[in-house]
Amino acid sequence: MIEDEVLFTPHLATIVVDLQRTMSQVVRESCGLSFLAFCLLASVRSHDGSMALAEFSRKALARENTVVVAAGKLADAGFVLKRRSDHDGRIVVLTETERGSAALRAGFANMFDRLRGTVWSGHDDAESQRS
């Protein structure tokens, strides 16, 4: 329905860019990760804690090499384990670690708190939870 559609205007684009910058800052402050690395980590979580690396670059607006570098940094820092698939040695699989799990909890909690204090400040808790 037309009343449910949002017209993407330059003003709305500015808001979206500002929101992404704010969330990037929250992620960096709460767990020391770039926004891309945090999204990669969250994708691993959404795939039951283990995901083929190639899956992310296919579904995201990111270059494959950029994703590979982010995955390497996550593995070096202990947020994920990076290994070859048992079935096909060409496939790199990422598996979430406890450190990665803790980073996601902190990142999402801080994002929610920031949104609750800004974007959702005029809404009650039930409305915030639905968003």
Side-chain angles (χ1 to χ4, degrees), residues 65-90:
N65 188 52
T66 304
V67 172
V68 169
V69 170
K73 288 180 180 180
L74 283 173
D76 291 346
F79 292 103
V80 295
L81 295 175
K82 186 176 163 185
R83 61 177 177 77
R84 296 285 176 181
S85 169
D86 296 335
H87 305 294
D88 185 343
R90 298 171 295 172

Side-chain angles (χ1 to χ4, degrees), residues 2 11 19 38 47 81-82 86 90 102 119 129:
I2 193 71
H11 178 67
L19 183 59
F38 187 81
H47 284 79
L81 295 175
K82 186 176 163 185
D86 296 335
R90 298 171 295 172
V119 177
Q129 291 292 338

Side-chain angles (χ1 to χ4, degrees), residues 20-130:
Q20 193 275 331
R21 283 184 185 144
T22 300
M23 294 300 99
S24 294
Q25 179 185 5
V26 168
V27 166
R28 186 162 307 283
E29 290 170 358
S30 61
C31 52
L33 295 173
S34 70
F35 193 71
L36 174 65
F38 187 81
C39 291
L40 179 55
L41 189 55
S43 289
V44 171
R45 163 74 61 85
S46 74
H47 284 79
D48 295 324
S50 186
M51 176 183 142
L53 181 57
E55 289 295 310
F56 185 80
S57 59
R58 285 187 202 125
K59 295 176 183 175
L61 296 175
R63 295 185 188 276
E64 185 176 350
N65 188 52
T66 304
V67 172
V68 169
V69 170
K73 288 180 180 180
L74 283 173
D76 291 346
F79 292 103
V80 295
L81 295 175
K82 186 176 163 185
R83 61 177 177 77
R84 296 285 176 181
S85 169
D86 296 335
H87 305 294
D88 185 343
R90 298 171 295 172
I91 298 173
V92 175
V93 176
L94 302 178
T95 304
E96 180 182 2
T97 64
E98 182 53 43
R99 184 168 188 210
S101 180
L104 284 174
R105 283 192 303 273
F108 281 124
N110 288 330
M111 274 191 227
F112 181 82
D113 289 346
R114 180 70 63 92
L115 290 170
R116 186 71 181 98
T118 57
V119 177
W120 299 324
S121 62
H123 302 280
D124 63 25
D125 286 340
E127 291 174 317
S128 297
Q129 291 292 338
R130 281 195 306 271

